[in-house]
Amino acid sequence: MQPFVLYNSEQRKKVEFVPRNEGQIDIYVCGMTVYDYCHIGHARVMVAFDYIIRFLRSQGWKVRYIRNITDIDDKIIARANENGESIQQLTARFIDAMNEDAANLGCVAPDEAPKATEYIDQMQNMISTLVNKGAAYPASNGDVYFEVSKFEKYGRLSGRKLDDMQAGASERVDVEVEKKHPFDFVLWKHAKENEPAWASPWGKGRPGWHIECSAMSTCCLGNHFDIHGGGSDLMFPHHENEIAQSEATTGEQYVNYWMHVGFINVDGEKMSKSLGNFFTIRDVMEKFHPEVIRYFIVSSHYRSPVNFSDVALKEAKTALSRFYHSFKAYQQVYGQKTVDALEQSFVERFNNAMCDDFNTAEAMAVLFELNKELNRAVKEEQAEQAEQAMVLYSTLRQLTNILGLVQHNVDEFLKSDIGQDALALSDTDIEDLIQQRVDAKKAKDFAKADGIRQSLLDQGVVLEDTRQGTIWRRAD
Ligand SMILES: [Zn+2]
């Protein structure tokens, strides 16, 4: 087992990983709130922790991986009411969809996927302890709040100071007058009419979101465990609040290392429903093979922001296809034959990249170099190259397996022109657009006419207006 470093968000630097128990890593990742299909931001978190865990297991670590499911929440209640279905029906449907998406992306299932509604007792016990210790207080409406000023280290993960936060938040305090500090957060919410509710010492209600993860992680992994992960957007307040609740309850350190996966931007802007640049995994799979989505995620380092666009996915498809083409060329000469011997220099460089905070961008560069070597060895097709070709092929297979790439049948993947079909304009599409442009010109809607010309140009189609009409060609 090679030692590795990881970026600990709490220390804001890369540090060497030291396990709590020899050879074992316990990891909890915040999962999805199941009221809709997973979007590509979720895909990034799922895929990132998937290749991290696959790599650690390949190194011989015994990894326990927990990813929770939030199956009770305002959005879930609202969506179920909107649809006229029960909360159980809605969440069951989206849990199935999530598992299907994760499997399509080649993600190994977590060892446990605890659901919030199955841990209500444990959450209530935790809240009772916090109230008894004076770290939380019930309000008159039946809510229970955590009192942030009672937790001395509040803000240590996100680097925020309570005093600054008070100043910053003072304008919006009045709606929640019962809180002692604007950043006090809800542990237990009193039931409103027609909402699902559980009996509790503070009246009927349901848990707040943050307490879910503290209770479930502790039940599955104990008071203190190795790594807690999630999307960057969860660092504050969600993870900050988890630390406060858990440590105030147990008096022990909660987590040793915090890992956060970076954002996905869409065409340079933050992905959001209001901007209309919001994509579910299913949307993207209509145009691209799911492994292309996985490759797109794997090819950049998990902490860097990435820009999602059709062009980026097309590039991902081209890059991933290079491995498939090499495998195909090899298989035409040598069939599926693999050998036990590996090209150790490549294995070492790959492992070194991954042991440096899971630097997949660097690891991919190593794999492309290896791919080139394999191509060369296969092309030469001489007896003395055969052994070398087999070693290189076996090495590339093993290393791509660790990242969960090149997992599909070579011919099927290369034949799958899902992307091309959906993206490329057919001749008929082009003729249609040209006619629309002619009509727009006749109607003196020159902005529309220019827009069509530009859009065609962006897609590689050049128009030329002649006396006989508009002719077109595809640019090279
Ligand atoms: Zn969480």
Side-chain angles (χ1 to χ4, degrees):
M1 243 183 268
Q2 190 173 336
F4 68 95
V5 298
L6 77 173
Y7 184 89
N8 183 6
S9 307
E10 190 177 337
Q11 291 169 281
R12 289 169 196 79
K13 62 176 181 189
K14 287 198 239 178
V15 290
E16 188 174 331
F17 177 81
V18 182
R20 288 177 55 257
N21 298 306
E22 183 75 33
Q24 186 176 324
I25 302 178
D26 290 344
I27 174 164
Y28 180 92
V29 175
C30 288
M32 271 59 82
T33 301
V34 283
Y35 71 103
D36 208 339
Y37 293 113
C38 292
H39 56 65
I40 49 170
H42 296 134
R44 192 175 188 199
V45 173
M46 288 197 281
V47 168
F49 284 103
D50 184 69
Y51 64 66
I52 287 170
I53 286 160
R54 280 170 184 259
F55 172 71
L56 293 172
R57 286 184 175 148
S58 78
Q59 289 274 297
W61 290 95
K62 187 171 169 287
V63 181
R64 274 203 292 175
Y65 170 33
I66 315 294
R67 191 180 66 218
N68 74 293
I69 296 170
T70 297
D71 62 347
I72 184 73
D73 153 278
D74 289 340
K75 292 192 208 92
I76 291 175
I77 297 170
R79 183 63 60 91
N81 286 340
E82 228 173 88
N83 292 357
E85 63 183 327
S86 73
I87 285 171
Q88 288 73 14
Q89 274 174 327
L90 177 90
T91 55
R93 223 153 39 79
F94 284 115
I95 290 169
D96 286 347
M98 172 186 76
N99 290 335
E100 212 177 281
D101 289 344
N104 277 326
L105 291 170
C107 295
V108 175
D111 297 303
E112 275 184 75
K115 289 185 206 141
T117 54
E118 290 169 358
Y119 289 80
I120 304 285
D121 287 349
Q122 288 88 339
M123 295 176 204
Q124 289 191 0
N125 289 342
M126 213 166 191
I127 299 170
S128 293
T129 307
L130 289 168
V131 172
N132 291 339
K133 287 190 167 185
Y137 56 94
S140 58
N141 63 0
D143 286 351
V144 181
Y145 291 103
F146 185 90
E147 190 168 356
V148 288
S149 53
K150 292 282 173 67
F151 185 68
E152 215 182 300
K153 293 175 188 159
Y154 194 77
R156 84 169 190 251
L157 175 64
S158 58
R160 299 185 189 213
K161 292 201 179 72
L162 215 46
D163 294 343
D164 301 347
M165 289 193 275
Q166 182 127 37
S170 58
E171 304 96 51
R172 46 189 172 88
V173 187
D174 46 320
V175 278
E176 292 164 313
V177 277
E178 282 205 68
K179 288 193 199 175
K180 296 183 183 173
H181 186 282
F183 276 82
D184 287 356
F185 56 89
V186 73
L187 298 169
W188 187 258
K189 290 181 181 185
H190 72 277
K192 295 186 192 121
E193 231 176 288
N194 297 324
E195 275 187 2
W198 287 263
S200 87
W202 317 282
K204 284 185 115 189
R206 61 191 162 91
W209 172 41
H210 311 302
I211 196 76
E212 289 179 12
C213 283
S214 280
M216 289 188 275
S217 59
T218 302
C219 289
C220 297
L221 298 174
N223 290 349
H224 177 203
F225 56 95
D226 298 293
I227 300 177
H228 193 314
S232 299
D233 51 332
L234 298 185
M235 192 185 310
F236 188 87
H238 185 54
H239 291 159
E240 194 73 65
N241 292 351
E242 276 189 51
I243 295 177
Q245 298 158 158
S246 290
E247 297 193 357
T249 303
T250 65
E252 290 177 50
Q253 177 164 358
Y254 177 42
V255 164
N256 281 357
Y257 306 92
W258 286 90
M259 292 180 74
H260 291 101
V261 175
F263 289 114
I264 290 196
N265 296 319
V266 176
D267 292 325
E269 289 193 80
K270 195 167 180 260
M271 186 174 75
S272 84
K273 273 190 174 159
S274 55
L275 287 170
N277 61 359
F278 187 88
F279 297 99
T280 66
I281 296 168
R282 279 152 199 249
D283 292 336
V284 185
M285 273 177 54
E286 282 175 19
K287 293 186 191 171
F288 294 97
H289 192 286
E291 200 177 87
V292 172
I293 307 175
R294 184 176 175 104
Y295 174 84
F296 168 73
I297 294 168
V298 173
S299 60
S300 29
H301 186 242
Y302 73 91
R303 281 192 288 118
S304 17
V306 297
N307 196 28
F308 174 90
S309 66
D310 272 353
V311 175
L313 274 252
K314 276 200 242 179
E315 281 167 11
K317 174 162 188 173
T318 311
L320 178 59
S321 300
R322 280 202 252 158
F323 294 114
Y324 278 101
H325 282 298
S326 311
F327 279 22
K328 188 180 166 79
Y330 174 88
Q331 286 166 9
Q332 277 166 349
V333 184
Y334 302 101
Q336 302 280 349
K337 193 167 168 31
T338 54
V339 290
D340 289 335
L342 298 181
E343 186 58 61
Q344 284 307 325
S345 62
F346 281 105
V347 175
E348 259 170 49
R349 286 171 59 204
F350 176 88
N351 288 343
N352 289 344
M354 291 300 284
C355 285
D356 179 13
D357 193 29
F358 312 104
N359 191 340
T360 48
E362 182 64 38
M364 286 313 305
V366 175
L367 296 191
F368 278 114
E369 226 179 282
L370 173 53
N371 194 51
K372 216 161 133 190
E373 290 286 298
L374 170 64
N375 270 330
R376 188 193 45 73
V378 171
K379 256 191 213 123
E380 305 211 347
E381 248 184 276
Q382 292 154 8
E384 64 267 29
Q385 291 291 337
E387 177 68 26
Q388 177 66 358
M390 284 175 207
V391 170
L392 292 168
Y393 175 73
S394 307
T395 311
L396 189 54
R397 271 238 99 113
Q398 171 144 334
L399 299 181
T400 49
N401 282 346
I402 291 173
L403 296 178
L405 295 173
V406 207
Q407 301 294 295
H408 296 266
N409 174 283
V410 168
D411 287 317
E412 273 167 33
F413 180 87
L414 290 174
K415 259 191 285 173
S416 79
D417 43 12
I418 318 174
Q420 271 59 15
D421 269 0
L423 292 170
L425 292 168
S426 68
D427 291 2
T428 328
D429 294 338
I430 296 169
E431 304 283 358
D432 274 357
L433 284 164
I434 289 174
Q435 189 53 52
Q436 284 180 36
R437 177 165 170 266
V438 171
D439 296 344
K441 274 175 143 182
K442 270 190 202 147
K444 300 209 183 303
D445 187 350
F446 299 110
K448 184 176 176 189
D450 286 346
I452 293 172
R453 171 195 278 274
Q454 187 56 49
S455 149
L456 283 167
L457 190 60
D458 290 345
Q459 296 173 80
V461 178
V462 183
L463 302 189
E464 201 181 315
D465 293 318
T466 70
R467 246 179 276 172
Q468 285 75 34
T470 305
I471 55 170
W472 63 271
R473 65 184 164 82
R474 291 182 196 270
D476 304 317

